[in-house]
């Protein structure tokens, strides 16, 4: 946060877990990336940010992560204003961002180690999340020995092992082949059901958003803003060939077409 702006004691609508209070962001005076975004996200909700390239999806995610500071407005997580990165928010990137000099076990233990957990507890926590992503049998391997899908499963396990309240995911499956992507979408749905983290997931893939999300926020560029906010009231796992799925797909496709034009 910029030092000259006083930080309010609480967000409006403080019952929400994540409160985004009229934030705007500019990379430079000529480029307003986001304008007056207001959102309220309850604890445990899976939210997809959907929209064309350049609409501010990743910028909004980076603001919530604390990697960027708003030009105006505030972001609160669990009633606390965000003024930088913190262990309450875990990030999963498209490019995995694993430490190549550490084993898979070492990568997953990294966050708990920084938090000061004893070695035995770190090992147990890493083992729990390795088993959750079905990689317990390769704990002693290094990232360069893994496929892209395996690396992303490790990245998810590493983020969860740090114990975040919010999981931020920036197009984590975009670089994967269709079969691996489909498998990891199913794994993420299962993890969300088990762990119930609050998830914000950036995607430009309509099918992915409908399959994963409890709620989809459609964003529009120039400047970035939320133009549609939709609760997805379909039981999981969702059937892509169902009429309800197709109707949602057509509606979101029309929204994104208007946003990009």
């Amino acid at each position: 946060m910029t030092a000259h702006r006083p930080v309010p004691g609480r967000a409006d609508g403080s019952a929400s877990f994540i409160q985004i209070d009229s934030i705007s962001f500019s990379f430079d005076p000529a480029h307003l990336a986001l304008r007056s975004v207001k959102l309220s996200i309850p604890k445990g909700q899976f939210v997809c940010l959907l929209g064309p390239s350049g609409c501010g999806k990743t910028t909004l995610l980076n603001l919530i992560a604390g990697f960027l500071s708003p030009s105006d407005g505030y972001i609160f997580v669990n009633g606390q204003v965000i003024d930088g990165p913190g262990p309450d928010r875990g990030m999963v990137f498209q490019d995995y961002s694993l430490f190549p000099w550490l084993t898979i076990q070492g990568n997953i233990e990294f966050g708990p180690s920084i938090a000061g957990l004893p070695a035995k507890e770190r090992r147990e926590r890493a083992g729990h999340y390795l088993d959750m992503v079905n990689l317990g049998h390769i704990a002693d391997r290094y990232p360069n020995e893994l496929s892209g899908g395996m690396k992303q499963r490790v990245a998810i396990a590493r983020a969860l092992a740090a114990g975040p309240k919010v999981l931020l995911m920036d197009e984590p499956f975009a670089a994967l082949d269709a079969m691996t992507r489909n498998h990891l979408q199913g794994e993420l749905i299962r993890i969300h059901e088990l762990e119930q983290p609050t998830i914000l997931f950036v995607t430009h893939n309509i099918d992915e958003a409908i399959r994963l999300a409890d709620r989809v926020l459609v964003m529009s560029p120039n400047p970035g803003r939320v133009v549609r906010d939709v609760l997805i009231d379909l039981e999981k796992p969702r059937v892509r060939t169902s009429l309800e799925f197709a109707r949602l797909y057509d509606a979101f496709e029309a929204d994104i077409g208007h946003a990009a034009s």
Side-chain angles (χ1 to χ4, degrees):
M1 289 291 171
T2 52
H4 65 278
R5 293 195 297 133
V7 177
R10 57 185 293 178
D12 293 334
S14 58
S16 66
F17 191 65
I18 299 175
Q19 185 76 22
I20 298 174
D21 186 10
S22 301
I23 64 164
S24 296
F25 179 80
S26 297
F27 288 103
D28 59 65
H31 180 202
L32 187 61
L34 293 169
R35 182 177 66 192
S36 299
V37 176
K38 298 180 181 180
L39 290 173
S40 180
I41 299 171
K43 187 174 184 179
Q45 192 170 64
F46 194 136
V47 178
C48 277
L49 303 175
L50 177 68
S53 298
C55 69
K57 303 184 300 294
T58 294
T59 299
L60 181 56
L61 207 70
N62 285 331
L63 286 161
I64 297 168
F67 300 149
L68 300 172
S69 295
S71 304
D72 291 295
Y74 299 92
I75 300 172
F76 297 81
V77 173
N78 201 23
Q80 300 298 311
V81 71
I82 297 304
D83 58 4
D88 57 336
R89 285 149 287 139
M91 192 85 171
V92 179
F93 301 94
Q94 184 180 144
D95 62 357
Y96 323 124
S97 298
L98 301 177
F99 302 125
W101 60 88
L102 294 178
T103 63
I104 303 313
Q105 178 89 17
N107 266 277
I108 296 174
E109 286 190 27
F110 182 80
S113 175
I114 294 297
L117 268 65
K120 181 176 184 293
E121 190 172 345
R122 294 199 306 266
R123 287 193 299 271
E124 289 174 351
R125 183 176 291 193
H128 170 74
Y129 286 106
L130 274 168
D131 289 342
M132 182 174 288
V133 296
N134 300 310
L135 292 177
H137 60 293
I138 61 164
D140 59 347
R141 294 190 189 177
Y142 287 85
N144 66 355
E145 302 177 70
L146 306 184
S147 68
M150 287 179 172
K151 288 177 183 176
Q152 200 56 285
R153 283 152 69 188
V154 173
I156 293 169
R158 183 179 66 177
L160 289 170
K165 298 179 176 70
V166 179
L167 190 60
L168 304 168
M169 309 186 77
D170 189 9
E171 298 198 68
F173 308 146
L176 304 175
D177 64 84
M179 186 175 295
T180 302
R181 182 175 189 151
N182 183 65
H183 174 71
L184 288 186
Q185 288 170 353
E187 287 291 295
L188 185 58
I189 290 168
R190 180 178 63 86
I191 289 168
H192 184 246
E193 289 174 348
L194 288 171
E195 298 281 301
Q196 289 295 304
T198 305
I199 297 178
L200 278 82
F201 186 108
V202 165
T203 184
H204 60 266
N205 185 295
I206 299 171
D207 182 280
E208 182 167 69
I210 298 171
R211 185 181 183 198
L212 293 177
D214 302 322
R215 178 183 179 190
V216 175
L217 304 175
V218 181
M219 297 187 66
S220 178
N222 302 318
R225 61 204 184 278
V226 175
V227 294
R228 193 167 183 227
D229 184 344
V230 181
L231 288 173
I232 308 296
D233 189 21
L234 299 178
E235 186 177 350
K236 296 179 183 178
R238 291 168 180 163
V239 180
R240 289 184 169 96
T241 55
S242 71
L243 181 59
E244 295 87 352
F245 199 105
R247 285 173 173 165
L248 283 167
Y249 191 102
D250 289 346
F252 286 133
E253 188 173 49
D255 288 336
I256 291 172
H258 293 149
S261 62

